[in-house]
Amino acid sequence: MDMEMAKQAVTAKAGVAGRQIALVRRACAMIDESEGERLTLAEIAGALDVSPWHLQRLFKRVMGVSPRDYSDARRSAAFRQQLKQGESIAQATYGAGYGSSSRVYERAERLLGMTPASYAKGGKGAEIAFDVVDSPLGRLLVAATAKGLCFLSLGSDDAALVDELRREFPQAESITRDRHSIAQSVAVVIDYLEGKTPHAELPLDVQATAFQRRVWQELIAIPCGETRTYSEIAENLGVPRGQRAVGRACATNPVSLVIPCHRALREDGGLGGYRWGMERKAALLESEADRPE
């Protein structure tokens, strides 16, 4: 192939990629403008004059999630926003496009991590136990509901750590320091920080969008002692230009250490951001480098 033909081939590929992205953007716009009405894949594909199979494959490659997951995430976001603005659960249910309140409650655990009433009012109804202990990285706060771990934080001041927890769940039914009920969770996290185990595996009670779940699953899949760049994680998710979205999903992780966002690095190998400071991120990576998987 001569130089001119090569240039034409590159231009043609770029044109195809541009048209594919434009098609996915149109599909996203249709979902966004549906105002909560459930559009089927066939309806979207028909409006765009493509096959459902082609749209499904292309949408997932560009966005990293299926059209249905994208729609669910948008409805979930609208639902949470209306709850936060003071709407009743019934009003928020129909405003976000759910067919009935029973449908919301069936999916509440997956969408919110708590019941809708709890999330709407800053954790109202949640009973949270916590403890603050010494760790190799400073003072460690571990908090959990009956369902699982809901919050982790590192720092140097106990009062500041507890204040952070209370801000996260300002209207929880109870936030109680209970060393006995939280002891097992604390022990798992401490064993991990002390290098006794390669992972801190605990049941979780956290909220997440479909995309956040996929990013967090990728983080959990990174072997102890290894790292991935934000771009590599995005590539694995089928979203080649999604490194910023991956970074945001890491930043919103409320249970870092269990979901190891410290294993995600910048493209140039730099540490990037970290909720508890670069020194702690570097220390975590250094301590993991010599651990057995």
Side-chain angles (χ1 to χ4, degrees):
M1 180 181 292
D2 61 25
M3 185 62 69
E4 185 60 33
M5 291 178 66
K7 288 181 179 178
Q8 291 177 358
V10 170
T11 301
K13 288 181 180 178
V16 170
R19 289 194 297 273
Q20 291 174 338
I21 292 172
L23 181 69
V24 172
R25 284 177 176 168
R26 289 169 62 195
C28 288
M30 286 184 64
I31 294 170
D32 293 345
E33 294 167 5
S34 66
E35 298 184 347
E37 180 184 354
R38 167 73 76 179
L39 295 177
T40 67
L41 180 63
E43 288 171 335
I44 300 171
L48 299 176
D49 198 27
V50 295
S51 72
W53 178 86
H54 176 70
L55 177 62
Q56 174 86 359
R57 182 176 60 87
L58 185 60
F59 196 102
K60 191 164 186 178
R61 189 170 70 191
V62 173
M63 297 298 293
V65 295
S66 69
R68 179 166 185 167
D69 280 344
Y70 178 83
S71 177
D72 284 346
R74 298 291 290 181
R75 293 166 81 196
S76 173
F79 179 60
R80 292 196 300 268
Q81 185 61 32
Q82 290 188 48
L83 286 173
K84 285 183 174 180
Q85 290 174 350
E87 298 287 355
S88 69
I89 291 175
Q91 288 171 319
T93 295
Y94 292 102
Y98 294 104
S100 69
S101 57
S102 62
R103 177 70 167 168
V104 175
Y105 277 96
E106 286 169 6
R107 303 182 57 177
E109 184 172 355
R110 185 171 73 87
L111 294 176
L112 305 177
M114 298 181 182
T115 68
S118 295
Y119 184 80
K121 300 175 182 177
K124 186 174 182 180
E127 296 181 356
I128 299 171
F130 76 92
D131 197 9
V132 186
V133 299
D134 279 324
S135 83
L137 295 179
R139 297 294 282 173
L140 167 71
L141 183 146
V142 180
T145 68
K147 294 180 182 178
L149 192 73
C150 65
F151 191 76
L152 281 175
S153 193
L154 287 163
S156 57
D157 180 81
D158 287 18
L161 291 172
V162 175
D163 284 345
E164 185 183 5
L165 172 64
R166 294 190 185 281
R167 287 195 302 271
E168 187 75 10
F169 305 101
Q171 296 189 47
E173 183 71 20
S174 64
I175 297 179
T176 307
R177 188 165 189 168
D178 186 340
R179 293 175 179 173
H180 176 72
S181 66
I182 200 75
Q184 183 175 4
S185 295
V186 170
V188 170
V189 178
I190 291 295
D191 281 351
Y192 160 73
L193 289 175
E194 292 180 345
K196 297 176 182 177
T197 59
H199 306 283
E201 297 180 355
L202 288 166
L204 302 179
D205 183 9
V206 294
Q207 66 183 55
T209 66
F211 184 75
Q212 285 173 322
R213 284 198 304 275
R214 295 187 67 216
V215 172
W216 295 351
Q217 287 167 353
E218 285 291 323
L219 293 172
I220 291 170
I222 300 173
C224 182
E226 297 185 17
T227 60
R228 301 287 185 272
T229 66
Y230 297 115
S231 295
E232 287 173 332
I233 294 171
E235 287 279 356
N236 289 343
L237 294 173
V239 193
R241 298 180 182 178
Q243 58 266 35
R244 289 186 180 180
V246 169
R248 286 194 297 272
C250 292
T252 55
N253 170 10
V255 287
S256 298
L257 301 180
V258 177
I259 299 174
C261 58
H262 60 276
R263 295 175 188 168
L265 305 177
R266 289 194 324 225
E267 190 68 22
D268 61 3
L271 292 178
Y274 193 56
R275 175 180 165 194
W276 299 313
M278 294 302 97
E279 289 186 5
R280 286 192 174 98
K281 185 170 186 176
L284 279 167
L285 293 174
E286 184 178 354
S287 71
E288 289 184 341
D290 298 325
R291 296 186 199 180
E293 175 59 32

